[in-house]
Amino acid sequence: MKKIRDSFRSALPASWKSTKWLLKLMIPISLAVTLMQHFGVLAWIATWINPMFVHLGLPGESAVAFISGAAAGTYAGLAVMMSIPLTMKQASILALMIALCHALPMECSVNKKTGSSFWTMGAIRIVMALVCAVVLNAILPEMPEKYIYLGAEADSSFTEVMTTWVVSQLKMSLMVMLIIFTLMVVQRMLETYRLLDPMSRLLSPLMRLFGLPRHASYMWLVGNVLGISYGSAVMLELEEKGIVTKEEANDVNYHLIMNHSMLEDTIVFAATGISAILLIATRTSFALILVWGRKCLIGLKYQFKPVK
């Protein structure tokens, strides 16, 4: 019980610090989107982008959420999502696009440190996010239920818009704080009880299914539970020790760009009503397609390579 209490106690200041950092990012973005929506800027953007986004099953305004998520991260994209009226189907498609393609500048830089191409990683994630949207738009049933909308009604006055926005930010801040605190507690308990090592050994046979080296299970687990940044630190350490090669680390990167930070991303979106099963199943499927598709292409390349 003492270890559990210590995990909760140590998680509180860290989660508060992370929450403040995230809210400094989310609140200005949310305010900007709210003002853009009230003064018709989003409607103007939508007229230009809607012809492309309509094939993804999304309104043109949702491009702002996708771009925000791709540039700044999941929470930035989420802040915009909750500032735009969306159906549950639209929100599910957009959430998966952001889950596959978020924080590109930072995470692609991290991938580069472990031997992958910055531009290749970024391009693949953007393309796969768009493909994911097209596929989900085709196979998902109509879900007319409304997603969480924290904005004001369309005919509201500026005062009403701002009042609604302030109240919505208080709600969003509390939700973010609870999510981050939960994640911090889970992370500390995993570290306290040293669960990552035995879990990675248990999962090592699964690596064959994923098309990855058997001994990549530890960095796969860290990347999936804690994210690309933590996963890259583990990869660098394993590379320095000679346990994995740069080529093997690069192979793992191809999986992780589709399927990382599964714990945090799933909890964040599930807390707003998005199906956790849909998030996990889709991201895992795209990771399998990408890794095995790449292996097939490499195999064909060597098969047809001219013999000198």
Side-chain angles (χ1 to χ4, degrees), residues 14 51 60 75 78 110 121-122 135 171 183 222 227 235 239 242 252 262 278 280 284-285 293 308:
Y75 290 92
L78 181 65
V110 169
M121 296 289 104
V135 172
K171 293 178 180 178
L183 289 169
V222 172
M235 285 188 210
E239 283 179 26
V252 177
M262 292 288 277
L278 179 65
I280 295 171
T284 303
S285 298
K308 294 183 179 180

Side-chain angles (χ1 to χ4, degrees), residues 98-115:
I98 293 171
L100 291 172
C101 187
H102 60 257
L104 290 184
M106 180 188 72
E107 293 189 346
C108 290
S109 296
V110 169
N111 290 142
K112 186 178 179 181
K113 287 183 179 180
T114 55

Side-chain angles (χ1 to χ4, degrees), residues 44-304:
W44 177 78
I45 293 173
T47 59
W48 291 94
I49 299 179
N50 199 56
M52 181 182 74
F53 266 56
V54 70
H55 298 293
L56 311 181
L58 298 171
E61 300 96 318
S62 62
V64 179
F66 177 60
I67 293 169
S68 298
T74 300
Y75 290 92
L78 181 65
V80 180
M81 281 180 62
M82 294 190 292
S83 302
I84 300 172
L86 297 168
T87 65
M88 283 304 300
K89 179 177 179 178
Q90 291 169 339
S92 298
I93 294 172
L94 191 53
L96 274 156
M97 288 180 71
I98 293 171
L100 291 172
C101 187
H102 60 257
L104 290 184
M106 180 188 72
E107 293 189 346
C108 290
S109 296
V110 169
N111 290 142
K112 186 178 179 181
K113 287 183 179 180
T114 55
S116 299
S117 165
F118 178 97
W119 298 108
T120 300
M121 296 289 104
I124 288 173
R125 292 179 69 173
I126 293 171
V127 169
M128 294 298 268
L130 295 174
V131 171
C132 171
V134 172
V135 172
L136 289 178
N137 184 42
I139 66 174
L140 283 180
E142 289 302 321
M143 301 158 67
E145 307 87 21
K146 299 299 181 185
Y147 182 63
I148 295 175
Y149 177 53
L150 299 179
E153 296 300 322
D155 57 351
S156 301
S157 66
F158 182 74
T159 303
E160 291 172 331
V161 169
M162 295 312 298
T163 301
T164 301
W165 178 79
V166 170
V167 173
S168 72
Q169 296 313 291
L170 292 173
K171 293 178 180 178
M172 184 180 72
S173 299
L174 179 60
M175 181 184 73
V176 171
M177 175 66 184
L178 291 173
I179 291 171
I180 296 299
F181 179 66
T182 302
L183 289 169
M184 290 289 185
V185 170
V186 171
Q187 180 181 336
R188 275 156 177 72
M189 290 184 73
L190 286 171
E191 292 171 351
T192 299
Y193 289 98
R194 303 180 185 277
L195 295 177
L196 284 177
D197 278 331
M199 287 172 66
S200 67
R201 287 194 294 271
L202 185 66
L203 290 170
S204 59
L206 193 62
M207 295 301 101
R208 186 175 181 182
L209 171 64
F210 290 151
L212 302 175
R214 186 183 179 91
H215 53 272
S217 59
Y218 184 71
M219 50 186 168
W220 177 88
L221 183 62
V222 172
N224 270 269
V225 175
L226 303 178
I228 280 182
S229 296
Y230 289 98
S232 69
V234 173
M235 285 188 210
L236 286 171
E237 183 180 2
L238 294 176
E239 283 179 26
E240 290 170 0
K241 292 179 178 179
I243 298 174
V244 297
T245 65
K246 274 193 176 294
E247 290 75 17
E248 289 172 333
N250 185 42
D251 289 340
V252 177
N253 276 338
Y254 275 87
H255 181 96
L256 289 181
I257 58 174
M258 295 289 97
N259 206 13
H260 65 273
S261 195
M262 292 288 277
L263 178 64
E264 180 175 7
D265 289 349
T266 303
I267 289 175
V268 167
F269 284 118
T272 66
I274 306 298
S275 168
I277 295 175
L278 179 65
L279 286 165
I280 295 171
T282 304
R283 295 184 71 183
T284 303
S285 298
F286 271 71
L288 287 168
I289 291 169
L290 180 59
V291 171
W292 283 108
R294 176 173 174 266
K295 281 183 173 292
C296 289
L297 288 175
I298 292 173
L300 288 172
K301 179 182 175 182
Y302 279 106
Q303 184 176 351
F304 292 102

